[in-house]
Amino acid sequence: MKVAFFGRTSNGKSTVINAMLRDRVLPSGIGHTTNCFLSVEGTDEDKAFLKTEGSSLCPQTVNQLAHALHMDKSLDAGCLVKVFWPKTKCALLRDDLVLVDSPGTDVTTELDSWIDKFCLDADVFVLVANSESTLMNTEKHFFHKVNERLSKPNIFILNNRWDASASEPEYMEDVRRQHMERCVSFLVEELRVVDQAQAPNRIFFVSAKEVLNARMHRAQGMPEAGGALAEGFQERLKEFQDFERTFEASECISQSAVKTKFEQHTIRAKQITQTVKDIMDSINIAAAEKRVHSLEEKDDQTDRLEFVRNQLNLLTEEIKRKIKIVTEEVENNVSNAMAEEICRLSVLLDEFHADFHPSAQVLKVYKAELLKHIEEGMGKNLAFRCSSAVNASVHAAQQQMIESLQPLLPSAASSQLQMLIPCRKFDLSYDLNCGSLCSDFQENIEFRFSMGWTALVNRFLGPSNAKRALRLVDGSLQIPRAPAMTPTGAGVPPGAQDGLSQEELMLSMATGLASLTSRTSMSVVIVGGVWRTVGWRLIALTMGLYGLLYLYEKLTWTTKAKERAFKRQFVDYATEKLQMIVSFTSANCSHQVQQEMASTFARLCQQVDLTQRELEGEISRLDRKIERLQRVHERSKALRHKATGLEDELESFTRQYLQPPQ
């Protein structure tokens, strides 16, 4: 148990402790003698000794050095010197009692640091007052601070130097009553540490110097009452002994000390536990509310994610159908436009003007420029016919994609969808590749008489039949010479003769007859027969007209005529070739449109995929948050139960140790 003595300078604090120790251990006398804190505690050693911070002093010099402590300039009011006194010399020290002497409360303003350093673990406080004056504000101020820091400190008041009242015995009782009233008022009304009935038992009127001298006389074998002692010494000695017996009655002091040390802590602990319970309740409620909110938010995000996935699948199928419709429409438009342009190919060739000459080198350059002109002209015409409609269809389809996907995206992302569509105008590429397509074109610009044998056959029988007829004519020219070399019918197998159709036989006979007229002998026979019939003038006129016609055509077969013939032949040839690639070109254009729309939809779907990943990340974050909130909820409940258990233990401790027995 730790007992701390406080009071103003020279009120006799050290003398009181010396009287209790029955020896002059601590420095005492006139003036400011105690300039630091001194603690006295028992030791099992036979000799006394003391310790300062960082050093230990020889036991033989305790009394001398104790009186000289006030001369040590290195010790200030905040230092502590421990004095160890043999327990055999003082019965009070046998029960682990520690007596703490202090400088005067009027020597420093750092009272808070004193309290923090030396008073928080004190069990009993003794206010040593001077009975020749009243309680001073410095003393009251100090104990008010102690009372703020500790819960109802265990305080005793010693009115020292009470022997001075013997000089005026007629006023002694009045002065005692006056001191008693003021001290009781201080303990009960100001500090409120005891009630009105207990306060007088904590106030004593003593003379520590008389008690110290008497006990030292007795230790030297002299009578206690020897020397010049004031009247009433025995009453003052008895009251001092009563003060000492309060420490010997350790049970009462221990209960008071326990109450002093633990009551405020217990109250504070109850407040803390109640605060912890309130905090845990609020945390529990808040965690539960946030968990419910997070679960609802997670359900919303999960529904949103499922909606986005389902809608994206439906929109994907719808967009595929839309792309198919648009591509088929583009393919039909391009196919129709290209067919029309092939029909207008002759017009396109008439617009071509370049130097023409039948020579091989000039024809090669002419054909290259002509092919380039056709490539560019047909490309421009197809673009004029199809590009605007195709671009409008593609743009409309892209806008439909955006409008369909906007509900699946957050507002921030949906406002940026227009940036994903290229700002450039979509143009089809019509790769006709006329150079390679017409690379094997062979022109025939040699002069051919329009009334010649070959021309007439072509005119009346057609090109394909004319070729067959001419081949047969060439074969029949060899029939008259065959009988001389081979028997009749030996040159043609029976099966082959049977295979000839009636039409072919008639054509063979006609061509055979014509071949006979081509011979000079037959011409003479025919001319002779006709001569007899119509006359020579008509024959001459006919032959003259026939010659004039031949001469006219021969003279008009100029370079321009050759160029016109070249263009006619090229139109026929190019028309046939271009018709072969109509389906391929239209399919190529529809593929370009499909690629453009598919790439746009893919970019838009990337934004939807990003939204899905964000939703999945948000759901994962909510899962972690819900898990944390669940742990917080469980932990707060556990801490709340612990706080309730601590509160029950504090109530039990209060009933057992702090509440007075009934």
Side-chain angles (χ1 to χ4, degrees):
M1 184 172 62
K2 181 178 179 180
V3 182
F5 293 81
F6 288 94
R8 287 184 297 132
T9 304
S10 300
N11 275 9
K13 300 181 294 297
S14 301
T15 304
V16 171
I17 295 175
N18 287 336
M20 296 174 68
L21 297 177
R22 302 174 185 271
D23 198 351
R24 297 184 185 277
V25 178
L26 302 181
S28 61
I30 300 174
H32 179 197
T33 55
T34 304
N35 62 338
C36 64
F37 279 82
L38 299 171
S39 69
V40 181
E41 54 187 291
T43 180
D44 294 329
E45 301 291 337
D46 295 334
K47 295 181 180 180
F49 62 94
L50 60 86
K51 287 184 178 180
T52 59
E53 296 178 355
S55 65
S56 178
L57 302 181
C58 181
Q60 291 85 352
T61 61
V62 170
N63 292 333
Q64 294 82 0
L65 289 179
H67 286 282
L69 283 174
H70 67 284
M71 301 299 295
D72 191 346
K73 302 301 183 182
S74 62
L75 298 176
D76 56 15
C79 296
L80 174 65
V81 176
K82 294 183 177 181
V83 178
F84 295 89
W85 192 254
K87 295 180 181 180
T88 56
K89 294 183 179 182
C90 181
L92 287 175
L93 300 179
R94 296 172 187 172
D95 297 325
D96 295 330
L97 181 66
V98 179
L99 306 176
V100 179
D101 190 11
S102 65
T105 57
D106 54 345
V107 301
T108 183
T109 58
E110 299 178 357
L111 299 180
D112 292 327
S113 63
W114 281 14
I115 295 172
D116 293 335
K117 194 171 183 181
F118 304 109
C119 300
L120 293 181
D121 60 343
D123 302 297
V124 180
F125 293 88
V126 178
L127 170 57
V128 180
N130 188 352
S131 59
E132 295 183 282
S133 63
T134 185
L135 290 176
M136 305 300 291
N137 288 332
T138 56
E139 298 165 324
K140 291 184 177 182
H141 180 63
F142 176 78
F143 279 94
H144 276 297
K145 285 184 172 292
V146 171
N147 194 38
E148 292 175 359
R149 306 295 293 276
L150 299 175
S151 174
K152 293 183 179 181
N154 193 17
I155 301 175
F156 292 84
I157 299 178
L158 292 182
N159 288 287
N160 195 22
R161 298 183 182 178
W162 185 241
D163 56 329
S165 62
S167 62
E168 297 178 350
E170 66 275 15
Y171 301 113
M172 181 182 297
E173 290 302 324
D174 294 336
V175 175
R176 182 186 179 95
R177 184 170 57 255
Q178 184 182 21
H179 282 307
M180 181 65 72
E181 291 175 355
R182 292 177 178 176
C183 292
V184 169
S185 176
F186 177 63
L187 294 176
V188 177
E189 298 178 5
E190 295 187 37
L191 297 181
R192 298 180 181 179
V193 294
V194 293
D195 55 22
Q196 191 73 29
Q198 294 175 341
N201 297 328
R202 294 175 174 268
I203 302 170
F204 301 92
F205 294 85
V206 298
S207 176
K209 186 176 181 181
E210 286 182 338
V211 175
L212 177 59
N213 291 333
R215 289 179 174 178
M216 291 188 69
H217 288 166
R218 184 178 179 180
Q220 295 172 4
M222 298 170 58
E224 288 184 354
L229 296 175
E231 184 180 353
F233 165 71
Q234 292 299 329
E235 289 78 4
R236 292 188 293 274
L237 176 61
K238 180 179 179 300
E239 196 155 352
F240 191 87
Q241 291 172 348
D242 292 341
F243 168 70
E244 288 180 316
R245 275 192 288 272
T246 58
F247 295 99
E248 293 176 357
S250 58
E251 182 177 355
C252 178
I253 295 297
S254 298
Q255 288 182 353
S256 179
V258 168
K259 189 173 183 180
T260 299
K261 295 184 69 174
F262 295 105
E263 184 177 25
Q264 185 65 25
H265 296 301
T266 304
I267 294 173
R268 180 60 179 157
K270 289 181 180 180
Q271 294 174 351
I272 292 174
T273 53
Q274 185 60 43
T275 303
V276 170
K277 287 170 60 178
D278 295 340
I279 292 174
M280 292 302 109
D281 288 340
S282 62
I283 291 175
N284 197 358
I285 295 172
E289 291 177 352
K290 289 185 178 180
R291 184 172 179 273
V292 171
H293 178 72
S294 297
L295 286 172
E296 294 176 353
E297 187 177 357
K298 178 188 173 183
D299 292 339
D300 293 341
Q301 297 293 344
T302 303
D303 294 342
R304 173 69 177 171
L305 179 60
E306 189 67 22
F307 171 76
V308 169
R309 287 174 176 172
N310 294 335
Q311 287 298 111
L312 182 61
N313 293 333
L314 295 176
L315 288 175
T316 300
E317 297 300 324
E318 182 179 352
I319 295 301
K320 285 182 178 178
R321 289 194 297 270
K322 181 65 176 178
I323 292 176
K324 183 178 180 181
I325 293 173
V326 173
T327 53
E328 290 177 353
E329 180 182 353
V330 169
E331 185 174 1
N332 292 333
N333 292 340
V334 173
S335 178
N336 295 333
M338 192 168 180
E340 293 178 2
E341 287 300 318
I342 291 174
C343 294
R344 296 180 66 255
L345 187 61
S346 59
V347 178
L348 187 63
L349 261 70
D350 290 341
E351 297 174 354
F352 176 73
H353 301 285
D355 295 335
F356 181 84
H357 194 271
S359 64
Q361 296 297 329
V362 176
L363 280 177
K364 183 177 181 181
V365 175
Y366 185 86
K367 283 194 285 187
E369 293 180 356
L370 179 61
L371 291 173
K372 182 178 179 182
H373 172 74
I374 293 175
E375 181 86 22
E376 294 178 354
M378 288 194 69
K380 290 180 181 180
N381 294 338
L382 289 174
F384 178 76
R385 287 173 174 268
C386 302
S387 293
S388 298
V390 170
N391 188 67
S393 299
V394 171
H395 184 71
Q398 290 174 341
Q399 290 298 324
Q400 183 180 359
M401 293 179 190
I402 293 176
E403 293 173 358
S404 301
L405 293 177
Q406 272 183 339
L408 306 183
L409 301 175
S411 57
S414 61
S415 61
Q416 299 178 354
L417 285 182
Q418 294 292 343
M419 300 174 60
L420 299 177
I421 298 179
C423 297
R424 60 178 176 81
K425 182 179 178 181
F426 176 71
D427 293 324
L428 289 174
S429 175
Y430 306 95
D431 189 10
L432 300 178
N433 198 11
C434 293
S436 60
L437 186 67
C438 301
S439 60
D440 55 348
F441 169 69
Q442 294 296 328
E443 69 282 355
N444 185 6
I445 55 175
E446 296 295 330
F447 173 74
R448 292 183 181 276
F449 182 43
S450 61
M451 297 299 292
W453 169 248
T454 303
L456 291 175
V457 172
N458 283 328
R459 181 174 299 174
F460 289 106
L461 297 181
S464 58
N465 293 328
K467 290 180 181 179
R468 294 173 61 187
L470 292 175
R471 283 199 298 270
L472 288 174
V473 169
D474 292 337
S476 64
L477 292 176
Q478 301 176 2
I479 292 177
R481 290 188 290 270
M485 299 174 61
T486 309
T488 304
V492 180
Q497 291 179 357
D498 295 339
L500 294 174
S501 63
Q502 184 179 1
E503 181 181 359
E504 290 175 344
L505 288 174
M506 292 176 64
L507 181 63
S508 177
M509 292 174 63
T511 53
L513 182 61
S515 63
L516 289 175
T517 60
S518 64
R519 298 294 179 178
T520 304
S521 59
M522 290 298 297
S523 298
V524 172
V525 172
I526 292 173
V527 169
V530 174
W531 182 285
R532 293 188 186 97
T533 302
V534 298
W536 62 273
R537 291 183 179 87
L538 181 59
I539 294 174
L541 178 61
T542 302
M543 294 300 295
L545 293 175
Y546 189 83
L548 290 174
L549 179 62
Y550 178 84
L551 181 61
Y552 172 77
E553 290 186 1
K554 184 67 174 178
L555 293 176
T556 57
W557 188 247
T558 60
T559 302
K560 288 293 182 180
K562 293 179 181 180
E563 183 179 5
R564 287 193 296 271
F566 178 89
K567 288 184 177 182
R568 285 194 302 272
Q569 295 174 15
F570 185 82
V571 167
D572 295 337
Y573 180 84
T575 298
E576 181 181 357
K577 291 292 185 179
L578 289 173
Q579 285 176 347
M580 295 171 58
I581 65 168
V582 169
S583 59
F584 173 77
T585 304
S586 59
N588 181 34
C589 292
S590 65
H591 182 67
Q592 295 178 42
V593 172
Q594 181 181 4
Q595 282 187 329
E596 176 69 15
M597 297 179 66
S599 62
T600 301
F601 184 66
R603 288 194 294 271
L604 296 175
C605 287
Q606 287 179 354
Q607 294 297 317
V608 179
D609 294 339
L610 180 61
T611 301
Q612 292 187 36
R613 289 195 294 272
E614 291 177 353
L615 289 174
E616 292 171 353
E618 182 66 15
I619 292 173
S620 300
R621 185 190 67 81
L622 289 173
D623 285 334
R624 294 191 297 270
K625 183 179 179 180
I626 292 170
E627 184 179 355
R628 288 197 304 270
L629 290 172
Q630 181 64 27
R631 291 198 299 268
V632 169
H633 178 71
E634 295 173 355
R635 184 61 176 166
S636 62
K637 288 178 63 176
L639 292 176
R640 212 277 185 191
H641 293 326
K642 285 186 178 181
T644 303
L646 287 175
E647 191 175 42
D648 295 339
E649 292 180 5
L650 289 171
E651 287 294 338
S652 177
F653 178 82
T654 301
R655 289 192 300 269
Q656 184 175 356
Y657 296 104
L658 301 182
Q659 291 181 353
Q662 299 296 331

